[in-house]
Amino acid sequence: MNLRPSSDTIRLIVPALSLASLLAAVFWLQPRAMSYIGLNLLFNLAVPIALATIAQMLIMAVNNLDLSMGAFVSFVACVAATFLYDSPLLGVPILVAAVAAYALLGVVIHLRNLPSIVVTLGMSFIWTGLAVLLLPAPGGHAPEWARWLMTAKPPLMPMAIVASILIALLAHFIVMRSSFGVLVRGVGGNERSVERAGWSALAARAGAYGLAGAFAVAAGIALVGLTTSADANIALRYTLLSIAGVILGGGEFVGGRVSPIGAVIGALTLTLAGSFLSFLRISPDWQIGAQGAILIIVLALRLFLNRIENRERRR
Amino acid sequence: MKPSMPTPSAPPPPIIEVENARISFGAVKALDGVTLQIMPGECVGLVGHNGAGKSTIVNVINGGLTPDEGGVSANGNAIDAYGINVARAHGVRCVFQELSLCPNLTVVENARIVHRDLGGAGWRGRARRIIEESLDAVFPGHGIDSGETVGALSIAERQMVEIAMAFSDAGTAPRLVILDEPTSSLDASLAKQMLAHVRRFVAAGGAVIFISHILHEILATADRIVVMKDGRIVAERPAGGFTAHSLFETMGSVAKGEAARRESRDLASAPLVLEQAGSGLPFTARKGEIVGLAGLSGHGQTEMLMKLHAQRSGNWWPRHDPAVAFVAGDRRLNGVFELWSILKNLSIASLSDLSRQGFVNDEAEEGRGEDWKKRIDIRTRAMENPILSLSGGNQQKVLFARALSTRAPVVLMDDPMRGVDVGTKQEVYRIVRDEAAAGRTFVWYSTEMEEVCLCDRVYVFREGVIVAELAGGDVNEANILAASFQGAAA
């Protein structure tokens, strides 16, 4: 065994370092954030984003991209705030059907060889339309258990941190350790050789989409648990946040290179970047631009490290 | 057909038997009635030039292709639905010419993909044991960490992993391993280790199909050698019945008449227009010359064309005077604009000549379109028709016209005649000759012997470098084959 860190570990260094330095900067600006409640406030909105990022990562693992993530999470939030609260017997099948619809999308995209970007862009209007039908105006109620789950106060660490760690570990187990995860990433890496070994790339892609749907459903429920009510546009920005989170966490658009732990860290970093800018008293007008600047800096850093890695390999 | 070693009483059934297999891709006959038996305990060498049908027969045996006619039997039983999983269940494994591991997965995870029945808790441990045992057996002292991502390994290491993967045993023991150019990225000592393992595997009752362009490897390792040409088996003998010389002679065609030969021209006084130094022989081309790039496909010819192109074209800004034009080989990939009309496809390379102050002059464009339509006979009613309404050969003519209608003094051609009918070929040959006579320089990579023989001078490539230069009367099939296959000159 050699002591050189594996390339996966190197991939995690940039996201981990950016999160750490951003956190240090926040603590320096606002020492009171360094507490149980402070940390929970900083990070609790990160939980649904982390779940959506994992969902996006699964789609990206098979070389596709999901532009309907935000619309779908909004739709799920609306279902959770209405049917799941009023009549769970109807709400649960709706959500199960939504997951099945995701798996079906994977099948259609694979069989017809359609560009996933176009298909999911179209789907985003369908999900938004359904969400508006359910909740034309903001409203609804969070199911008791979702509310309880998101506001629980575990000892030692705030819920936001515990949940993020659990999500990261679960996703790591599924994507990086299980046979299914290997197959999904294999399809992203070299679809032909997976098929040559006698696997069904169709099943792998459908599975990846279905699992992504399940994580996105969890994201919607977690979001309602936090906000107590829903609205048809509640999570629209999740589409881009989830993509940015995956990339920030060391994932790539093609080639099946993804990192679940990195994706969760990426989601946390994105959430924290917003708070950091507020603490800096940057006017909200400039915040989105500044958030973009942070993204560009981190991504440039990664590109730089990739280049060094490649240069070493060539030697 | 006879097995290499006659066995007394009840010979074992062949592991795989392909009977009279025929496959056509469109008009091209990839396999034209091939019958092949692979017996346990033999190493079969398979040789042939580009497009001889080696890869196709390999794909039939590993279940990736179903022959249009003919069948496959395993262990003496004919199998109706022969496919990838059936082949694997009979112990057929394949190392492909292009690396076929998933670069984003670790070696262990790739083993999981290759062995479908490895699942269940603790598969990582089992996969690690299986692949490491196999690596240790084939390449003792390999030094590859099976936890490493394949993308982080060197090319040679990847190839080693792939070979070891094919020989690894996870429940279904490998019985027939197909090695398609397995030593192309291995150095001599690693190749030796692998060949030694092939002999051990064969001695233990396995079978190997061995494809290589290094003839002495085949002669030294194989028991029986099968020579393919134009989708047929043209010779099949025990390895002892061949010498390197007789092998490549069998691969070549029966001496064709020199009918299509160009008259040799004296160009020694013409000025040099292209120069490119490399690790092999240097490349030069003179004004008005047709220079051929030959050798087995994928041995650096396209890279040379790219280098020449990069050397002669502007980096960021397009040059006003184009110095070089390119005719792509893969029309779909980098040739035609599928949604555009024939005229737009033709004029795109010379728009700067046809426009004034940044606006395209429609009349000039149409005039040029009609001119070229007549000159090279593009068979269409109107140049406004979509490019995809043309046949493949006519699309290729448009691409030629695109390059020739520029003022570029040099035209680079990347095997542009693949899948083009004979009539079109003759027309294009005529155009190329006329244009060359008028002073244009052509650099022509072709996988077809007939075209290479049209050139004034030919560079033969092997493993990314130029290994031979042939000129005038020396440009013939035997010389080109001899230079493309290593060890043939001896």
Side-chain angles (χ1 to χ4, degrees):
Chain A
M1 288 274 102
N2 55 16
L3 289 173
R4 201 162 56 88
S6 78
S7 49
D8 284 344
T9 319
I10 296 173
R11 260 168 195 280
L12 269 181
I13 288 177
V14 178
L17 279 183
S18 11
L19 179 64
S21 51
L22 211 50
L23 199 59
V26 167
F27 285 161
W28 179 67
L29 285 171
Q30 187 53 272
R32 268 172 295 175
M34 220 183 318
S35 64
Y36 187 96
I37 297 176
L39 278 176
N40 202 27
L41 284 176
L42 276 181
F43 283 121
N44 64 12
L45 272 175
V47 175
I49 297 180
L51 285 163
T53 307
I54 295 292
Q56 185 70 257
M57 184 196 74
L58 281 160
I59 308 271
M60 282 163 74
V62 291
N63 290 351
N64 288 166
L65 202 59
D66 185 357
L67 293 188
S68 65
M69 189 55 70
F72 183 72
V73 173
S74 306
F75 164 74
V76 171
C78 290
V79 174
T82 53
F83 285 112
L84 208 55
Y85 176 77
D86 301 328
S87 47
L89 281 182
L90 204 57
V92 172
I94 292 179
L95 293 180
V96 171
V99 172
Y102 249 76
L104 189 69
L105 271 187
V107 171
V108 171
I109 287 172
H110 185 90
L111 281 186
R112 308 302 304 170
N113 204 9
L114 297 170
S116 60
I117 291 180
V118 175
V119 175
T120 54
L121 187 64
M123 286 307 293
S124 73
F125 296 109
I126 295 181
W127 299 125
T128 305
L130 290 174
V132 171
L133 285 180
L134 281 178
L135 274 180
H141 300 274
E144 283 304 318
W145 54 272
R147 184 83 196 124
W148 172 83
L149 196 63
M150 295 311 293
T151 53
K153 288 196 166 54
L156 296 178
M157 268 189 285
M159 189 59 192
I161 308 284
V162 175
S164 300
I165 292 175
L166 286 180
I167 293 167
L169 289 181
L170 176 70
H172 182 78
F173 178 77
I174 295 177
V175 177
M176 303 307 281
R177 304 297 299 178
S178 78
S179 287
F180 171 72
V182 169
L183 189 57
V184 166
R185 286 183 293 133
V187 168
N190 191 340
E191 192 168 328
R192 248 177 88 196
S193 77
V194 170
E195 282 182 332
R196 270 178 185 162
W199 297 92
S200 158
L202 170 69
R205 183 161 271 131
Y209 269 80
L211 195 61
F215 270 101
V217 163
I221 294 175
L223 183 58
V224 171
L226 282 173
T227 57
T228 70
S229 67
D231 146 28
N233 297 323
I234 190 166
L236 283 191
R237 61 195 192 101
Y238 278 26
T239 303
L240 291 183
L241 278 181
S242 63
I243 297 173
V246 176
I247 301 296
L248 211 54
E252 270 165 39
F253 281 107
V254 289
R257 286 184 200 277
V258 292
S259 157
I261 295 178
V264 171
I265 293 178
L268 295 180
T269 310
L270 283 172
T271 324
L272 200 58
S275 314
F276 169 69
L277 295 171
S278 305
F279 286 137
L280 273 184
R281 304 227 173 81
I282 289 179
S283 97
D285 296 345
W286 292 98
Q287 274 196 17
I288 292 184
Q291 220 163 352
I294 292 182
L295 254 180
I296 290 174
I297 292 171
V298 175
L299 290 182
L301 204 62
R302 227 191 80 198
L303 221 58
F304 182 64
L305 279 190
N306 277 2
R307 214 174 257 197
I308 292 178
E309 204 184 330
N310 284 342
R311 201 173 302 156
E312 267 180 12
R313 192 174 307 158
R314 231 174 286 137
R315 259 192 299 141
Chain B
M1 194 168 318
K2 37 189 187 305
S4 62
M5 283 177 295
T7 17
S9 72
I15 296 179
I16 293 289
E17 181 173 9
V18 181
E19 197 150 3
N20 199 22
R22 284 173 202 279
I23 291 188
S24 328
F25 300 114
V28 182
K29 278 187 189 157
L31 282 188
D32 193 5
V34 169
T35 301
L36 186 63
Q37 282 180 324
I38 312 293
M39 308 301 292
E42 71 168 342
C43 173
V44 179
L46 188 56
V47 294
H49 202 249
N50 297 318
K54 293 175 308 212
S55 303
T56 318
I57 187 73
V58 163
N59 275 323
V60 168
I61 293 175
N62 72 30
L65 271 176
T66 313
D68 304 335
E69 264 179 62
V72 183
S73 8
N75 295 327
N77 310 315
I79 296 173
D80 291 334
Y82 191 79
I84 292 176
N85 282 326
V86 180
R88 291 195 64 81
H90 281 91
V92 177
R93 303 292 160 74
C94 200
V95 174
F96 290 96
Q97 200 171 349
E98 83 276 30
L99 298 171
S100 65
L101 298 168
C102 297
N104 57 330
L105 302 184
T106 64
V107 174
V108 171
E109 286 169 339
N110 268 292
R112 174 72 189 91
I113 297 268
V114 168
H115 296 296
R116 286 198 62 188
D117 36 12
L118 206 62
W123 62 265
R124 258 165 215 278
R126 286 197 297 281
R128 179 182 295 273
R129 195 168 39 76
I130 286 167
I131 187 64
E132 285 184 352
E133 265 173 19
S134 183
L135 267 173
D136 290 341
V138 187
F139 300 105
H142 52 81
I144 296 172
D145 173 12
S146 59
E148 184 65 273
T149 314
V150 167
L153 300 176
S154 72
I155 297 281
E157 286 171 328
R158 285 189 218 184
Q159 186 119 34
M160 290 158 74
V161 169
E162 192 146 359
I163 291 165
M165 202 75 87
F167 282 107
S168 64
D169 176 5
T172 328
R175 295 189 61 211
L176 167 61
V177 177
I178 303 169
L179 301 168
D180 192 350
E181 302 273 1
T183 54
S184 54
S185 354
L186 300 182
D187 65 33
S189 67
L190 289 171
K192 223 177 192 173
Q193 285 185 339
M194 193 215 74
L195 296 175
H197 187 80
V198 165
R199 291 313 310 172
R200 279 199 298 277
F201 180 73
V202 168
V208 170
I209 297 179
F210 186 47
I211 301 173
S212 173
H213 65 273
I214 305 176
L215 292 184
H216 67 79
E217 271 184 12
I218 296 233
L219 285 165
T221 311
D223 300 305
R224 179 160 63 104
I225 296 181
V226 173
V227 182
M228 291 190 73
K229 187 173 156 17
D230 299 333
R232 285 200 205 93
I233 293 179
V234 291
E236 184 172 12
R237 258 178 266 162
F242 280 111
T243 61
H245 189 75
S246 69
L247 253 186
F248 74 75
E249 224 160 47
T250 324
M251 274 186 272
S253 53
V254 214
K256 255 189 235 160
E258 298 273 288
R261 288 294 299 198
R262 72 274 169 278
E263 63 281 24
S264 52
R265 294 179 291 149
D266 186 25
L267 291 159
S269 56
L272 275 181
V273 288
L274 280 176
E275 254 179 302
Q276 174 80 37
S279 43
L281 298 174
F283 173 95
T284 56
R286 292 179 186 279
K287 184 172 157 63
E289 194 173 30
I290 307 176
V291 179
L293 307 183
L296 295 167
S297 58
H299 276 245
Q301 297 95 333
T302 303
E303 287 76 6
M304 171 60 86
L305 290 176
M306 295 294 176
K307 254 188 251 166
L308 291 173
H309 188 265
Q311 177 202 354
R312 304 282 294 179
S313 53
N315 202 354
W316 285 84
W317 298 103
R319 288 165 51 149
H320 190 66
D321 266 322
V324 59
F326 195 90
V327 184
D330 192 335
R331 282 194 294 281
R332 275 279 150 90
L333 186 69
N334 50 14
V336 300
F337 297 91
E338 300 193 346
L339 299 178
W340 289 10
S341 70
I342 302 170
L343 181 64
K344 297 281 173 207
N345 264 290
L346 193 156
S347 64
I348 177 73
S350 44
L351 277 184
S352 60
D353 293 350
L354 298 172
S355 46
R356 234 177 302 150
Q357 286 151 12
F359 291 95
V360 177
N361 181 346
D362 283 345
E363 272 166 39
E365 192 184 11
E366 272 163 35
R368 184 166 293 198
E370 284 306 315
D371 179 30
W372 278 97
K373 178 174 179 242
K374 256 180 262 145
R375 274 177 71 180
I376 65 169
D377 190 22
I378 300 168
R379 282 173 211 132
T380 179
R381 248 177 299 151
M383 293 294 279
E384 276 68 45
N385 288 340
I387 182 88
L388 291 185
S389 69
L390 294 177
S391 68
N394 275 294
Q395 287 180 28
Q396 197 64 52
K397 279 199 239 172
V398 175
L399 293 189
F400 266 103
R402 182 196 289 172
L404 296 178
S405 64
T406 63
R407 282 174 289 127
V410 176
V411 178
L412 307 175
M413 304 196 285
D414 182 14
D415 201 10
M417 300 305 232
R418 259 177 281 179
V420 173
D421 62 280
V422 184
T424 310
K425 278 183 184 172
Q426 294 304 332
E427 281 171 50
V428 172
Y429 297 162
R430 181 181 51 79
I431 299 167
V432 168
R433 273 196 300 266
D434 291 352
E435 291 282 332
R440 259 196 228 231
T441 307
F442 288 84
V443 181
W444 191 351
Y445 164 42
S446 175
T447 49
E448 290 182 35
M449 212 42 93
E450 183 193 2
E451 289 171 11
V452 176
C453 291
L454 288 174
C455 299
D456 296 310
R457 211 149 47 78
V458 173
Y459 289 105
V460 183
F461 282 70
R462 193 172 68 223
E463 277 152 19
V465 297
I466 299 174
V467 293
E469 178 183 354
L470 307 168
D474 292 340
V475 180
N476 60 40
E477 183 161 10
N479 283 343
I480 292 170
L481 275 177
S484 331
F485 286 85
Q486 191 178 318

